[in-house]
Amino acid sequence: MQIINLNEAILNGRTSSGLIYVNSDPQVRPGRKDYILGDLMYKGKVVQFRSWDDDVLEILRAHGKGIYRADTLGQEYKSFSYINIRSIDLYVDNSVSEEDFQDCIPQEELESKWTEALEQLQARGLSDACRKLIDDVVNDPELEGRFFTEGAAIKHHDNLIGGLWNHSSKMLRILIALLDNNKELLPSVDLMTFSVVAHDIGKVFEYDALSMSEHWYANHRVRGIEFLVKYRERIIDSYSEQFYRQVQAVIAGHHGEYGDRPTTVAAVIVHYIDSLESQATELLREQEAAMESKFFSTGFGYLESICPDDLD
Ligand SMILES: [Fe+2]
Ligand SMILES: [Fe+2]
């Protein structure tokens, strides 16, 4: 049985049959008639589904996240497109698995880019002790290797296997450019590098294989700070309490105006690096998913796609 192509299935009036992946627990919404609403995912694309059918509502409410066989209809309401699920059944076969719906960045590619970025930071003064600390933290058994596999988001930038590692690695490369542009940052290379590595590490607990975890509501900033407590003595012994508190402040404040107000220069700089990286990645993803050259971006409304240089 084929996986439904979400790009086509969402077109207004299009009917499709095949496999779908509901990547988080759907919610029941009251209305003139109760309906169920949630997300379908296929290879980095996430679209909303809704259903007013009683059987669909019962099956999805009972079984939640997972793979189903479904009949769908693409619909549009006030220029918002979604997929209406008209019938659904549990998928009991096992020839298709959740990984078949998830996009993935090759691990070798991530590994070499990560190592290369850390070596470039070592050339700019990153200490051996900090490099060792980073290796120990990202390989901590409590993370079960998921720093390297979890997504950086569920719906937006880098929502693919390896996305968190990729996002952190891209941020390290922006940090390298900042260190080269602003020499006054160089004496803080350990703090800045470690803070970038740790800023989203709590996503390992907020997410679970590209969907929300059971305890998602204690967000990744809270969970990241909690996780690092086990390294407190080691960090204070190798550096100082000030260093440890500065790292905590970066994790707490790295969402800038969208979270707790940043209280340190390091937190604001990591926030800028984070925004530049995630927003540029998200914009390019929206452009790629767009059907036309002009597309709707959540941040700025309609944008014309970037034009390729066409030299003869
Ligand atoms: Fe974050
Ligand atoms: Fe981030």
Side-chain angles (χ1 to χ4, degrees):
M1 179 154 234
Q2 290 263 318
I3 292 175
I4 291 182
N5 178 337
L6 297 179
N7 283 320
E8 288 172 7
I10 199 159
L11 298 174
N12 198 12
R14 182 72 59 102
T15 54
S16 313
S17 306
L19 299 179
I20 53 168
Y21 176 51
V22 175
N23 80 328
S24 52
D25 283 335
Q27 307 157 25
V28 177
R29 292 277 173 90
R32 225 175 305 151
K33 179 165 172 28
D34 286 357
Y35 66 101
I36 192 157
L37 167 149
D39 290 317
L40 302 178
M41 183 169 88
Y42 182 60
K43 300 286 182 197
K45 182 162 180 84
V46 175
V47 303
Q48 192 183 96
F49 75 79
R50 300 177 188 190
S51 183
W52 286 262
D53 182 277
D54 292 335
D55 291 342
V56 172
L57 194 141
E58 278 317 310
I59 291 174
L60 282 173
R61 184 153 58 183
H63 300 278
K65 184 185 157 194
I67 304 172
Y68 298 88
R69 328 165 156 260
D71 294 312
T72 65
L73 170 67
Q75 288 199 313
E76 207 177 286
Y77 178 69
K78 291 186 178 168
S79 76
F80 176 76
S81 299
Y82 65 94
I83 287 178
N84 183 348
I85 300 181
R86 305 213 288 182
S87 74
I88 205 166
D89 222 336
L90 283 176
Y91 174 69
V92 282
D93 210 349
N94 50 14
S95 53
V96 172
S97 69
E98 293 187 357
E99 285 83 60
D100 294 315
F101 290 85
Q102 297 166 341
D103 218 350
C104 154
I105 309 168
Q107 292 278 305
E108 314 77 63
E109 183 186 321
L110 288 169
E111 172 83 57
S112 69
K113 289 197 162 161
W114 178 254
T115 310
E116 195 184 303
L118 286 171
E119 282 169 3
Q120 289 182 25
L121 285 156
Q122 286 180 291
R124 286 159 182 79
L126 183 78
S127 70
D128 292 346
C130 192
R131 175 73 203 259
K132 175 85 176 65
L133 177 67
I134 289 169
D135 287 346
D136 291 347
V137 165
V138 297
N139 289 294
D140 188 291
E142 190 186 342
L143 303 183
E144 298 172 336
R146 290 187 34 246
F147 176 77
F148 308 108
T149 57
E150 196 47 75
I154 304 298
K155 292 191 191 179
H156 302 291
H157 72 101
D158 277 310
N159 61 342
L160 26 80
I161 299 170
L164 173 59
W165 194 12
N166 193 33
H167 167 61
S168 309
S169 183
K170 286 185 283 182
M171 283 179 63
L172 286 182
R173 288 197 289 281
I174 298 176
L175 173 64
I176 292 166
L178 277 187
L179 288 163
D180 290 348
N181 282 341
N182 304 84
K183 301 284 182 219
E184 56 275 47
L185 262 184
L186 283 172
S188 313
V189 62
D190 279 13
L191 174 68
M192 295 306 295
T193 306
F194 186 69
S195 296
V196 165
V197 171
H199 86 287
D200 271 346
I201 204 156
K203 285 191 173 172
V204 167
F205 307 103
E206 182 175 343
Y207 303 153
D208 180 11
L210 301 180
S211 62
M212 300 313 278
S213 74
E214 185 185 352
H215 304 297
W216 61 273
Y217 46 86
N219 66 46
H220 65 272
R221 289 166 291 148
V222 172
R223 298 298 298 268
I225 288 171
E226 181 189 49
F227 165 73
L228 272 189
V229 168
K230 66 162 85 165
Y231 291 89
R232 180 171 57 195
E233 307 314 319
R234 174 167 166 188
I235 293 172
I236 293 177
D237 286 350
S238 339
Y239 296 96
S240 58
E241 178 167 354
Q242 189 194 17
F243 186 101
Y244 178 69
R245 301 295 173 204
Q246 287 263 348
V247 173
Q248 287 186 314
V250 171
I251 300 178
H254 79 266
H255 284 192
E257 57 273 41
Y258 307 105
D260 288 343
R261 187 180 69 83
T263 50
T264 61
V265 169
V268 176
I269 293 177
V270 172
H271 167 57
Y272 289 151
I273 298 175
D274 193 23
S275 306
L276 175 61
E277 196 306 286
S278 57
Q279 291 185 28
T281 299
E282 176 62 9
L283 198 57
L284 293 170
R285 200 180 76 99
E286 286 175 345
Q287 171 183 271
E288 197 181 309
M291 299 289 190
E292 299 166 52
S293 74
K294 188 173 89 165
F295 65 99
F296 192 82
S297 153
T298 25
F300 298 100
Y302 280 105
L303 296 175
E304 181 68 30
S305 292
I306 200 163
C307 88
D309 302 332
D310 40 13
L311 288 175
D312 291 331

